[in-house]
């Protein structure tokens, strides 16, 4: 009898864990593996080749909706749900399965983007595809569409053409882009449940990112999660803190939610250059991870982020809400705080090594999604927050334009990493005990996408310069905004935004225009931004003679190779060395190899 009771308790405990929307004390970090129109960078095969680097830092990767949508698509106009229709804009079904398996083998769980608020039609306003999976045919009917879809326009069309809709109105907010599904319908529930189980049990996903959850009642997310039992579930509830909290409760806490207020406070601090805003509300709302919001009782269910595909700057005609500067400081704060951080792919691409270092420190200290944060200092120039880890270890993150000027109280704080507008200190662990990862060089973009470095890109001896390949939509004028780390926030050459104008050199093989920026100083800047036509890059680490694209640096323009001999003593002490991936070294290299110095390849 005792054995039976113990077994029963074990089973019930297991079921309880499975019902949690996000594990408590979870120390993992997530990567959003795509951005809007990122069809090249998010190809399944390309992500798979980067699995080793991704595995150094990330425990979860969120992929775009992975089924066929009937044409090039980011997946939010979902058409098919079941295998047999998984050749998408990101690759084939076989490539998707291979990616998920490779991730799993390297300890990475894959999160599926689940779009079940609405669905695309096949040939008219109200028809859906018929799909057979494991001998069962699944098909949504016109009667599975909400009665008030499209403000009544769908019902008018259906009546005129001999179709019927559901008698139920939408249980959430309507969306006019496609047909809103009636989740009260047993047929909808049957289709969704089969779809979600297939994602987990067949394709191998470990959890879900639910799109547009305000479009239907949270009780249905509860129903679907209790049926499929994902290890992880997070909803896109884009609203106030109370609305997000109420949605989490409506799911029976079977799902976490994105902490939008966290994102807003970071945006407010950076875009206003006022770091006190990290400790403030956003329009009356506290971030879910804040100590001031319900005593932090929702931290377990907070997936934090600072940028995603809906907030990044896309074009002058598509007004988003981007963070325009201090991407590194934003990520430093994100990766120090409780909750489960979700890093944006573009940020990872621009700052792989520094973000990997931040994650390494976070994990070494043992910061998790329920860690307690304490504000240590807050003023317009910098913000310092202490976050408790495991076994008495602590992490102190300082961000802001004067972050380097802050000195923590006590000799037991040890500085471990720092960069542009951020510093990490640790307590209870020696810096030497923290292993920073060594990343491999990622695969270059496929031929024809960026076109390679044109032959007309040349560098004169001793010249400090940079090249930029501008998409045709960026116009005929490109500007550069460069700066020094630890400076006063002004442009490197003393101009106002958007900086100094670059010179048009010519056209690359792929039709993009190529520009050259030449420094007016004898020392190189640390960071650079290129902009034009209302578009701009992320904050990019400066590499002398670097050849940059809109998504980061692609290659280095060189004038030959020379060996460093005893004459290297003539080089200035602050000469910067770069490895062939573009990462700047701290001091002179200790390993033999090929490096970039002042625009030249040198052998050391």
């Amino acid at each position: 009898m005792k054995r039976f009771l113990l077994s029963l308790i074990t089973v019930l405990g297991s079921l309880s864990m499975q019902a949690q929307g996000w594990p408590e004390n979870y120390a993992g970090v997530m990567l959003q593996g795509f951005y809007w129109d990122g069809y090249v960078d998010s190809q399944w095969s390309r992500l798979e080749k980067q699995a080793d680097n991704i595995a150094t830092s990330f425990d979860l990767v969120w992929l775009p909706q992975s089924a066929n949508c009937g044409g090039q698509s980011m997946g939010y106009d979902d058409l098919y749900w079941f295998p047999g229709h998984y050749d998408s804009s990101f690759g084939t079904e076989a490539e998707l399965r291979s990616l998920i398996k490779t991730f799993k083998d390297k300890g990475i769980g894959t999160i599926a983007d689940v779009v079940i608020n609405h669905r695309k039609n096949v040939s008219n306003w109200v028809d859906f595809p018929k799909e057979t999976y494991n001998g069962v045919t699944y098909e949504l009917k016109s009667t599975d569409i909400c009665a008030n879809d499209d403000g009544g326009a769908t019902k008018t069309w259906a009546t005129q053409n001999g179709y019927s809709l559901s008698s139920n109105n939408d249980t959430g907010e309507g969306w006019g882009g496609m047909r809103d599904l009636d989740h009260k319908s047993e047929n909808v529930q049957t289709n969704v449940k089969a779809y979600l189980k297939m994602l987990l049990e067949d394709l191998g996903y470990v959890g879900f990112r639910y799109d547009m959850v305000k479009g239907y009642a949270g009780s249905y997310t509860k129903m679907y999660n209790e049926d499929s039992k994902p290890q992880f579930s997070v909803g896109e509830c884009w609203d106030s803190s109370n609305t997000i909290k109420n949605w989490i409760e409506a799911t029976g806490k079977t799902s976490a939610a994105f902490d939008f207020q966290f994102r807003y406070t970071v945006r407010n601090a950076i875009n206003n250059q006022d770091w006190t805003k990290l400790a403030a509300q956003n329009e009356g709302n506290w971030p879910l991870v804040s100590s001031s919001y319900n005593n932090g009782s929702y931290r377990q269910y907070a997936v934090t982020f600072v940028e995603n595909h809906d907030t990044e700057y896309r074009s002058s005609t598509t007004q988003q809400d981007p963070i325009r500067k201090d991407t590194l400081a934003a990520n430093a704060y994100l990766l120090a705080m409780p909750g489960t951080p979700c890093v944006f792919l573009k940020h990872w691409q621009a700052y792989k090594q520094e973000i990997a270092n931040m994650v390494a420190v976070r994990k070494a200290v043992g910061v998790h999604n329920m860690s307690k944060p304490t504000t240590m200092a807050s003023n317009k120039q910098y913000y310092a927050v202490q976050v408790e880890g495991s076994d008495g270890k602590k992490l102190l993150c300082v961000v802001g334009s004067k972050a380097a000027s802050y000195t923590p109280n006590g000799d037991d704080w040890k500085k471990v990493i720092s960069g542009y507008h951020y510093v990490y200190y640790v307590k209870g662990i020696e810096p030497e005990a923290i292993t920073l990862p060594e990343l491999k060089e990622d695969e270059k973009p496929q031929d024809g996408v960026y076109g390679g470095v044109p032959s007309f890109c040349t560098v004169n001896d001793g010249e400090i310069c940079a090249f930029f390949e501008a998409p045709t939509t960026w116009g005929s004028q490109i500007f550069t905004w460069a700066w020094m780390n630890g400076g006063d926030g002004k442009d490197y050459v003393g101009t106002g935004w958007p900086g100094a104008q670059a010179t048009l050199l010519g056209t690359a093989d792929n039709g993009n225009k190529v520009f050259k920026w030449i420094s007016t100083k004898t020392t190189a800047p640390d960071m650079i931004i290129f902009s034009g036509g209302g578009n701009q890059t992320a904050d990019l680490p400066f590499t002398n003679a670097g050849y940059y694209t809109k998504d980061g640096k692609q290659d280095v323009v060189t004038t030959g190779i020379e060996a460093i001999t005893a004459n290297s003593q003539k080089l200035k002490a602050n000469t910067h060395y770069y490895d062939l991936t573009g990462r700047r070294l701290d001091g002179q290299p200790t390993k033999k190899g090929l490096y970039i110095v002042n625009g030249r390849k040198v052998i050391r």
Side-chain angles (χ1 to χ4, degrees), residues 398-411:
V398 188
V399 292
S401 57
K402 299 295 182 181
S405 68
Y406 175 80
T407 302
N409 293 325
D411 296 334

Side-chain angles (χ1 to χ4, degrees), residues 283-349:
E283 298 178 353
N285 294 289
W286 286 108
L288 297 180
V289 297
S290 172
S291 297
S292 304
Y293 184 73
N294 289 319
N295 298 315
S297 56
Y298 286 89
R299 289 181 198 143
Q300 175 180 345
Y301 305 102
V303 177
T304 54
F305 71 104
V306 295
E307 203 85 281
N308 70 15
H309 61 294
D310 286 324
T311 66
E312 62 167 318
Y313 192 93
R314 284 161 56 188
S315 72
S316 58
T317 58
T318 304
Q319 294 303 315
Q320 302 282 78
D321 187 23
I323 292 174
R324 295 188 177 276
K325 297 180 182 180
D326 283 313
T327 306
L328 274 170
N331 280 279
Y333 180 68
L334 169 75
L335 291 165
M337 288 290 280
T340 299
C342 182
V343 175
F344 188 40
L345 179 61
K346 281 190 175 181
H347 293 179
W348 169 248
Q349 289 175 326

Side-chain angles (χ1 to χ4, degrees), residues 82 119 122 127-132 136-142 144 187-188 191:
F82 294 96
R119 197 171 179 187
V122 178
D127 64 338
F128 300 96
K130 181 183 293 186
E131 300 177 84
T132 300
V136 180
T137 298
Y138 297 95
E139 182 182 12
L140 296 181
K141 305 291 186 179
S142 65
D144 294 318
N187 188 45
V188 170
N191 276 257

Side-chain angles (χ1 to χ4, degrees), residues 14-23 110-112 114 196-197 199-201 205-210 221-234 254-255:
S14 176
L15 290 176
S16 175
M17 285 299 292
Q18 287 178 319
Q20 288 186 335
W22 212 269
T110 312
I111 302 295
V114 172
L196 296 183
K197 284 188 174 180
L199 290 174
L200 298 175
E201 299 171 5
Y205 285 101
V206 300
F208 309 133
R209 178 267 186 187
Y210 286 102
T221 299
K222 178 178 186 290
M223 172 193 293
Y224 299 139
N225 279 345
E226 289 179 342
D227 182 74
S228 58
K229 297 179 175 59
Q231 296 178 48
F232 302 91
S233 170
V234 56
T254 65
S255 185

Side-chain angles (χ1 to χ4, degrees), residues 158-294:
T159 301
Q160 292 173 348
N161 290 274
Y163 292 92
S164 297
L165 303 187
S166 170
S167 59
N168 301 316
N169 283 338
D170 205 330
T171 59
E173 295 182 4
W175 187 63
M178 273 157 243
R179 306 291 71 76
D180 284 1
L181 302 181
D182 173 23
H183 287 269
K184 291 182 178 180
S185 163
E186 289 187 11
N187 188 45
V188 170
Q189 294 172 13
T190 297
N191 276 257
V192 171
K193 288 177 180 178
Y195 170 47
L196 296 183
K197 284 188 174 180
M198 180 279 300
L199 290 174
L200 298 175
E201 299 171 5
D202 189 340
L203 292 183
Y205 285 101
V206 300
F208 309 133
R209 178 267 186 187
Y210 286 102
D211 179 66
M212 199 175 174
V213 297
K214 291 199 299 177
Y216 52 100
S219 58
Y220 294 106
T221 299
K222 178 178 186 290
M223 172 193 293
Y224 299 139
N225 279 345
E226 289 179 342
D227 182 74
S228 58
K229 297 179 175 59
Q231 296 178 48
F232 302 91
S233 170
V234 56
E236 182 203 29
C237 188
W238 201 318
D239 215 307
S240 67
S241 294
N242 279 332
T243 300
I244 298 172
K245 181 196 73 173
N246 292 337
W247 181 82
I248 292 172
E249 294 291 341
T251 72
K253 292 187 174 178
T254 65
S255 185
F258 284 104
D259 192 347
F260 282 91
Q261 304 309 319
F262 180 95
R263 194 266 165 185
Y264 294 143
T265 59
V266 173
R267 174 209 60 190
N268 292 345
I270 290 174
N271 288 355
N272 291 284
Q273 287 296 288
D274 180 358
W275 298 91
T276 63
K277 292 184 180 294
L278 290 180
Q281 294 181 351
N282 171 69
E283 298 178 353
N285 294 289
W286 286 108
L288 297 180
V289 297
S290 172
S291 297
S292 304
Y293 184 73
N294 289 319

Side-chain angles (χ1 to χ4, degrees), residues 445-458:
Q446 61 187 13
D447 292 340
V449 176
Y450 294 106
V453 180
S455 59
F456 53 72
C457 293
T458 59

